[in-house]
Amino acid sequence: MANTYNPYENMLRVLESAARQLGLKPSDYEAIKYPERELKVAIPVRMDSGEIKVFEGYRVQHSSSRGPCKGGIRYHQQVDIDEVKALAAWMTFKCAVVNIPYGGAKGAVKVDPSHLSNAELERVTRRFTAAILPIIGPEKDIPAPDVNTNAEVMGWIMDTYSMIHGYAVPGVVTGKPLEIGGSLGRPEATGRGVSIITQEILKRLNMPEKGVRIAIQGMGNVGGVSAKLLHEMGHKIVAVSDARGGLYHPEGLDIPAALKYMAAHGGSLEGYAGGGAANISNAELLACDCDALIPCALENQITEANANAVQAKLIVEGANGPTTVEADGILTGKGVTIVPDILANAGGVVVSYFEWVQNIQELTWEEDQINETLRKVLINSFSQVLNIVNESKVSFRVAAYMLAISKLVKAKKSRGVFP
Ligand code: NAD
């Protein structure tokens, strides 16, 4: 978000330390420091009142070295180009960590969608799609949902792209509704991945596989599904929140009831009593008494200002970039284990890849096959990162970057420098 922490600078600092660990020469990874392409577009939209408003939109393609670019589209009033550049680079590293043949991209529109009608949201989406159309496509760059976008928005993107091309192109976007080529398992995939990775790290830390007290910041697609699945696995979800604030219950919240309330109240927790739970702020959630903290909202939530207050022994990053570099140092110094975003929330892009594969091959997979293959991919990636942690005595974050960068550097070497 537009604040004092520049997420792109954060990304570069982690990249440098991982490259040093790998013993790379600066020229080996120089190109990874720059996005391949940055597009900024103006989006004029006729509002319901008849007035024309112009929004700003972005699509950044960080790398196509390992395959077509891939990454979500975010609608947020505070988004800026540095945030989108960082998110695009994280996608490149994430796809490399889980070894799917994609590069990284990200897009955004600077808009607060809660102030738009559904018809206005559709017009913003269709005009944005038209504006970025020259650089997207199933072989070039494939968008997906991110903060404040969903399957309905992906459906409008697919339709706009298809109408302009004159035929249906389902593979241009993932996270679509099922009836136009969406995949079973995609809506839950990121949260499912977070829950799989959480179980893996709990085992390695010799923490119990049930009954762990977990706090989750953000109850959207990622946080809501993570809460549901971790609750079903027998953990105690002691705190949850959305942008307006949260709830804490030391004995664990009734997650199915919270999700049911949210489904009936436009996805908001506001007004939910939570069976004797205390109302807390997002700042209090991050510092609450719990064993594990799973931030699933936005970047730069855990900073040097609040890292010392964190009581959790384990952080699993459901969100992208929730921990600043300074906070990471403080937490690691306190002995907190952090499973980084590029591994912890990779489940979404893995199933997006399965969706795209189904689209371009014109076939469909069963949900069990999707969930089982997702589990295999994530457990395999987790154990590769863990091996680097053990061999190189580095944090999970640096290890995940080392795995990603070594794959990227090899891909770049194999391709050579054009012309
Ligand atoms: P979403 O829009 O579905 O949900 C976001 C949640 O965060 C909502 O509950 C919202 O109220 C809450 N929130 C917003 N601002 C907040 C704030 N300032 N403090 C606390 N809570 C706040 O978004 P999502 O798709 O769940 O994405 C959440 C995070 O996960 C983002 O960092 C996103 O980039 C990342 N992510 C998403 C996916 C995916 O497949 N959707 C995949 C990988 C990573």
Side-chain angles (χ1 to χ4, degrees), residues 31 50 64 75 81 83 135 140 278 298-299 313 329 377:
S64 60
Y75 289 172
I81 192 72
E83 180 181 348
I135 66 165
K140 296 190 216 174
L298 296 170
E299 54 269 26
K313 295 277 164 293
V377 168

Side-chain angles (χ1 to χ4, degrees), residues 46-294:
R46 191 180 305 280
M47 308 306 282
D48 293 343
S49 63
E51 179 199 0
I52 305 289
K53 271 198 182 168
V54 183
F55 301 94
E56 198 166 281
Y58 316 94
R59 186 75 186 168
V60 174
Q61 296 173 341
H62 173 259
S63 170
S64 60
S65 292
R66 298 183 61 258
C69 298
K70 184 86 188 85
I73 289 180
R74 171 175 295 197
Y75 289 172
H76 200 280
Q77 60 279 14
Q78 280 167 350
V79 75
D80 64 30
I81 192 72
D82 281 323
E83 180 181 348
V84 183
K85 278 166 64 180
L87 288 160
W90 289 329
M91 286 306 298
T92 302
F93 302 135
K94 195 178 299 183
C95 294
V97 166
V98 290
N99 206 24
I100 54 177
Y102 281 144
K106 206 82 178 191
V109 178
K110 201 177 179 77
V111 62
D112 181 348
S114 68
H115 293 159
L116 302 184
S117 69
N118 212 44
E120 289 169 339
L121 191 67
E122 178 173 352
R123 291 196 288 276
V124 167
T125 302
R126 289 187 182 277
R127 183 64 190 243
F128 175 59
T129 306
I132 65 169
L133 198 114
I135 66 165
I136 62 169
E139 290 156 346
K140 296 190 216 174
D141 180 358
I142 307 119
D146 192 70
V147 174
N148 290 331
T149 58
N150 57 17
E152 185 179 31
V153 173
M154 298 306 116
W156 293 328
I157 296 176
M158 181 271 191
D159 183 67
T160 305
Y161 187 93
S162 299
M163 292 315 294
I164 291 174
H165 282 77
Y167 52 94
V169 190
V172 65
V173 74
T174 59
K176 302 175 286 293
L178 264 187
E179 50 279 10
I180 54 170
S183 178
L184 292 164
R186 177 60 186 91
E188 302 82 23
T190 310
R192 183 176 297 282
V194 168
S195 70
I196 292 169
I197 293 288
T198 303
Q199 280 307 77
E200 286 304 295
I201 186 72
L202 289 174
K203 276 187 230 160
R204 308 304 154 147
L205 296 177
N206 292 321
M207 287 170 77
E209 284 179 39
K210 278 180 195 291
V212 172
R213 295 171 313 137
I214 300 175
I216 300 181
Q217 184 197 32
M219 277 289 271
N221 175 278
V222 182
V225 176
S226 300
K228 175 177 181 282
L229 296 178
L230 288 162
H231 174 80
E232 283 170 10
M233 287 170 176
H235 296 298
K236 277 188 191 174
I237 313 302
V238 293
V240 297
S241 70
D242 64 17
R244 294 182 192 84
L247 296 162
Y248 181 84
H249 196 306
E251 295 310 316
L253 294 155
D254 181 346
I255 294 300
L259 291 170
K260 198 169 162 200
Y261 179 91
M262 289 175 68
H265 293 83
S268 171
L269 272 171
E270 198 176 19
Y272 178 60
N279 286 310
I280 55 168
S281 65
N282 268 294
E284 287 167 331
L285 181 141
L286 297 172
C288 78
D289 183 13
C290 63
D291 305 311
L293 174 61
I294 311 190

